[in-house]
Amino acid sequence: MVVGAWFALQVISGWLLPLGGTVTDLALRLRPLDGESRLEVGRKGLSRPEKEWTLERMRSVMDCLDAAARRNPLDYRAQFQRAHVLLRLEAMGEDTTDAAAAAMRKTLWLRWKNPEVGIEAMRFALSRWQFLPPGEREFYREMFVRVVQVEVMRKGNFNRILQIWKRYSKDMQFLEAGLAQRPELYGQAARALRDIQFNLDDRQRFLALYESWAVGHFQQLLRNRVREERDNYDTW
């Protein structure tokens, strides 16, 4: 009977959770240990219009996300939402800069292959680049190399990264670290540098690196095609 009552409470709280406001609070009281419930509160808090952000509300959302993170320390969603709430608290005058940076680092470490995480983490890092200590800069350089290597970067995300880089950083060492792993993107980078009227020598160097990669790439394609044709001829 006790088990049946507990199960009924879980079902009822699941129905109440998406309704928001005090109803969501009731859902949390009915199943206080449920990490997904607390993540849902965090998601709803972040999706509210900016005019509804209040210090009390953000702190309440943060308490829920802290509980969710403690329940599952390897859940990147809790860390990701924590970073966003901490950044909002920072904008409200709270001293949460270091905590936001730590949450963003952990999110990136846990799920750097997720395109949304990669983009937001790079935005966070590059928007504060001049204030980051050397160790932090090195961490984000290394993670940027990994992010650039993800296949989804070919589908437009790299252009988003370039826009963020152009707006906040313009650190050539940071950019080159990622491009060295994906030389086919040097052409896009050269065009981006042209658009912001960046140093001509750097633009020409990127173009030369792209042309060098392109020549080698198409020569290899041609050699592979010739080899395939020869193999097909030998089988006749």
Side-chain angles (χ1 to χ4, degrees), residues 74-89:
L74 298 181
D75 188 341
Y76 82 96
R77 298 172 300 167
Q79 298 297 337
F80 199 36
Q81 292 183 13
R82 286 183 71 250
H84 281 81
V85 174
L86 287 165
L87 289 173
R88 290 191 179 181
L89 287 171

Side-chain angles (χ1 to χ4, degrees), residues 50-59 89 92:
E50 187 173 351
K51 63 182 181 181
E52 296 184 16
W53 299 355
T54 64
L55 192 58
E56 181 180 2
R57 176 168 286 162
M58 287 296 102
R59 284 174 175 169
L89 287 171
M92 294 177 178

Side-chain angles (χ1 to χ4, degrees), residues 119 144 148 152-163 175 179 185-186 188-189:
I119 293 290
F144 178 63
V148 169
V152 294
M153 300 304 285
R154 292 185 176 182
K155 301 176 182 177
N157 285 337
F158 182 66
N159 284 333
R160 293 172 63 190
I161 287 282
L162 283 178
Q163 292 298 322
L175 184 59
L179 293 176
L185 298 175
Y186 274 120
Q188 291 184 46

Side-chain angles (χ1 to χ4, degrees), residues 23-41:
V23 181
T24 296
D25 297 336
L26 175 59
L28 285 173
R29 286 195 291 272
L30 287 173
R31 55 177 185 186
L33 297 180
D34 190 283
E36 289 297 326
S37 301
R38 298 188 181 279
L39 280 174
E40 180 68 11
V41 170

